[in-house]
Amino acid sequence: MKSFARLLGTGLFACALSLSGCHDTDPQVPDDGPPDESTAVELTDYVDVTPDLPCMDANFASPRANCEDPGSFNLSRCDMAAVGAVEPSGIYRAILRYNSESMFGAGFRLDTSPTFLNRPLVRNQVNSQGFFITGQLTTTTNKVQRYALAGCRVPEPGRITGCFVRCTDGVPEYSGTFDARRMNWEAKSSRPTAMHLVSESAVPLGDSVDVYVTQGHAYVVSLPRGKEPGGLSVFNVTDPAHPTLVTTLSLPNDSYWNGVWAKGNALYIASGDSGVIVYDITQPAAPQYIRALPGGAIDVHTVFVDGDRLYAMSPSPNGETLIFDVAAPLEPRLLGRVSVPRTDVTSYPHDAFAYQGRLYINHSTFGYTVVDVTRPDVTPVLGRYAFAGQYSHANAVGTFNGRTIAFEGGERFGAHLRVLDVTDPARIRLIAQVKMRAQTSIHNLVLKGTRLYVAWYHEGVRVFDVADPEHPKEVAAFDSFDEAHPRSTDSLYQGAIGIRVPGDGSVYAVDLSRGLLVLQEP
């Protein structure tokens, strides 16, 4: 999950939706046209397609409709019978498009607690008369903005397309089209083999986002959610079918804990307030606080251990990666700081994967960057993979038939799995892509041998056979997202978010609403 916004929970954070979209959640993506399938050159995460909707305006800056009257929309050539038959329930994610260069993602839910962008709907008309909903928010300049959506077509079950208008302080400003999909799997025509759910355990602290499994225990870290603090929840999983919560921990004014890793008897937690927190887990059920590194107020978002190195990705204050020597696991020693020279000064290292002397950094809006970390004091950039509208988020790297292959994913609408040949970092090549619904996003990846495990938010847990990396084959999946769960929201950040495969026959996933899920390894 993105760090710089420092979300309190997974509902929409206070971000005013401008003409170019909400940059804190779903960055603007210029339209680069359809991809050339013959050369597999990737242009962007989300490839815009000009909508064919009779309700759209010729000029998005001259809206005909207003935010109060459904009759102000030109729906005369729409399929109102299909729209009127839409079930008034469920959680949807939508891509709202002003034009080919300006679009953003938004969510809404239609049930007993209807929302738009996680705020109560102003109007909720989903019945035989048609589909018309209106959401409202207050901008950072204290202006009241409304978005009125009118349904036009139902191209397939679980999907609604139509037109919208944006009004500020009651005045229609801009119009556009929307393409919304219900986030359950009910409408999917084909599914991979379902993974067996062994157990499900609620996490008592905030929103669970990551997990690490060692010494028969699952260590789950959480972000704050509203007034609920985040922190660490420890489960005994020696019996995977019956996990037992043994303790919870957090620190005063310090519970924005987003990442976790372990080495020996040391547990490393990525804290948004104090850097890397070290706990002694000699007694696995009773972690003992040791210290926070490197000292002072610093945001560390993710951690990764490779051999005797601990890498800590820090969005602020400097947008750098810290390298620690953990040969003595409970006594980390700072070796160096990796600061990637970049043109986008707002970008930062979100996550990273260390492999064979190189650090593969997901440098958010600057792109996927490869750095030589053989020497911690000299860390030259070896190469970068970047494209328009990127938000590089997570990756995993391995060797396949003599080639170094990276599996990389972004976090935004349209984000998908890409397979990159990084054998020569100066000439990174895209060799394959896997896409799900454009309204959803990837979060984390785990590579075990020739199996790639993906925590794909609303798409759940996805497992791919990548023995032939140019042709990933989906072999199993688990639908974790539950739209009816009382903690589920219309946010992009919902569903499967963290995942570990420790090799004990189980897959451990965390879902933002459901908590810790133990699945049988396929």
Side-chain angles (χ1 to χ4, degrees):
M1 185 180 293
K2 292 186 176 66
S3 173
F4 59 89
R6 293 299 302 277
L7 311 186
L8 295 180
T10 57
L12 179 88
F13 30 91
C15 166
L17 293 175
S18 65
L19 177 60
S20 61
C22 182
H23 290 271
D24 282 348
T25 53
D26 301 312
Q28 175 185 349
V29 182
D31 176 30
D32 289 305
D36 182 348
E37 298 296 340
S38 62
T39 57
V41 175
E42 184 175 40
L43 303 175
T44 182
D45 262 329
Y46 171 72
V47 178
D48 181 51
V49 177
T50 302
D52 177 23
L53 288 168
C55 58
M56 65 187 294
D57 292 323
N59 183 350
F60 73 94
S62 299
R64 294 173 295 180
N66 60 61
C67 293
E68 310 300 328
D69 180 15
S72 64
F73 285 84
N74 180 12
L75 305 177
S76 59
R77 293 187 293 134
C78 294
D79 187 351
M80 299 309 293
V83 172
V86 169
E87 181 184 356
S89 63
I91 292 178
Y92 287 77
R93 289 293 304 171
I95 296 173
L96 283 74
R97 176 190 189 273
Y98 293 108
N99 56 36
S100 63
E101 295 184 350
S102 185
M103 61 203 71
F104 62 94
F108 59 85
R109 66 183 304 165
L110 309 172
D111 53 21
T112 54
S113 301
T115 59
F116 178 78
L117 294 171
N118 211 39
R119 293 164 170 80
L121 284 180
V122 174
R123 180 165 183 156
N124 181 25
Q125 176 188 314
V126 183
N127 54 31
S128 60
Q129 301 302 308
F131 176 96
F132 187 79
I133 64 172
T134 304
Q136 178 174 299
L137 61 134
T138 302
T139 71
T140 53
T141 56
N142 292 319
K143 293 182 180 296
V144 176
Q145 262 184 9
R146 285 190 174 184
Y147 290 80
L149 283 63
C152 182
R153 291 175 177 164
V154 181
E156 58 190 276
R159 183 182 177 194
I160 308 168
T161 60
C163 295
F164 76 94
V165 61
R166 186 184 101 181
C167 307
T168 298
D169 290 339
V171 179
E173 291 181 304
Y174 303 104
S175 66
T177 60
F178 71 87
D179 188 339
R181 289 182 183 269
R182 192 169 178 177
M183 289 292 97
N184 61 8
W185 278 13
E186 296 303 318
K188 295 185 72 66
S189 58
S190 61
R191 300 181 182 183
T193 302
M195 299 173 70
H196 173 64
L197 177 64
V198 178
S199 63
E200 176 175 345
S201 305
V203 174
L205 296 177
D207 282 323
S208 51
V209 292
D210 197 15
V211 59
Y212 198 88
V213 181
T214 184
Q215 301 185 46
H217 288 71
Y219 298 87
V220 180
V221 290
S222 302
L223 306 182
R225 179 188 178 112
K227 295 182 179 180
E228 299 177 17
L232 174 68
S233 301
V234 183
F235 293 84
N236 184 320
V237 291
T238 51
D239 179 0
H242 302 93
T244 303
L245 178 68
V246 293
T247 192
T248 60
L249 298 168
S250 61
L251 298 175
N253 302 313
D254 184 354
S255 67
Y256 192 97
W257 295 357
N258 187 77
V260 60
W261 208 283
K263 176 179 170 63
N265 288 324
L267 188 73
Y268 308 114
I269 294 174
S271 165
D273 297 292
S274 59
V276 178
I277 301 175
V278 184
Y279 276 94
D280 184 342
I281 53 171
T282 302
Q283 298 181 43
Q288 299 297 309
Y289 177 85
I290 302 296
R291 64 179 63 85
L293 300 168
I298 180 173
D299 178 5
V300 167
H301 199 58
T302 53
V303 285
F304 186 95
V305 174
D306 178 45
D308 289 337
R309 291 272 188 91
L310 164 65
Y311 298 89
M313 281 52 74
S314 171
S316 65
N318 302 316
E320 62 189 355
T321 298
L322 310 177
I323 306 177
F324 294 91
D325 181 333
V326 288
L330 289 169
E331 300 174 5
R333 181 170 57 89
L334 183 64
L335 295 177
R337 300 171 183 258
V338 179
S339 183
V340 173
R342 56 197 185 276
T343 53
D344 182 356
V345 296
T346 64
S347 73
Y348 61 90
H350 182 282
D351 210 336
F353 191 99
Y355 187 69
Q356 296 182 345
R358 293 172 179 173
L359 189 65
Y360 297 81
I361 305 174
N362 300 97
H363 218 287
S364 62
T365 53
F366 187 63
Y368 186 57
T369 307
V370 186
V371 177
D372 185 335
V373 289
T374 306
R375 289 178 51 186
D377 57 331
V378 181
T379 54
V381 173
L382 303 178
R384 182 168 71 102
Y385 181 81
F387 54 87
Q390 67 204 345
Y391 191 90
S392 188
H393 185 270
N395 80 104
V397 184
T399 300
F400 296 81
N401 298 319
R403 295 189 298 172
T404 306
I405 302 297
F407 303 90
E408 193 266 358
E411 185 184 43
R412 46 153 297 135
F413 68 85
H416 57 276
L417 175 66
R418 58 185 58 82
V419 185
L420 305 170
D421 186 331
V422 293
T423 305
D424 180 358
R427 296 175 177 80
I428 298 175
R429 295 190 305 112
L430 174 72
I431 61 175
Q433 301 177 78
V434 178
K435 296 186 178 184
M436 299 295 175
R437 293 171 291 185
Q439 289 81 356
T440 64
S441 173
I442 280 179
H443 193 264
N444 273 348
L445 312 171
V446 169
L447 180 64
K448 287 289 183 178
T450 58
R451 289 284 177 93
L452 182 71
Y453 297 80
V454 185
W456 206 314
Y457 277 127
H458 298 87
E459 307 291 2
V461 174
R462 300 285 183 144
V463 185
F464 297 89
D465 182 339
V466 292
D468 177 0
E470 295 188 6
H471 300 93
K473 180 182 178 182
E474 188 172 9
V475 294
F478 180 78
D479 177 15
S480 71
F481 178 66
D482 179 4
E483 64 180 5
H485 196 283
R487 294 179 68 86
S488 291
T489 75
D490 63 29
S491 170
L492 175 67
Y493 309 125
Q494 289 288 278
I497 185 169
I499 190 167
R500 298 289 177 183
V501 189
D504 62 358
S506 296
V507 175
Y508 299 82
V510 284
D511 179 277
L512 280 152
S513 297
R514 297 172 62 175
L516 175 64
L517 307 177
V518 182
L519 308 169
Q520 184 175 319
E521 190 172 349

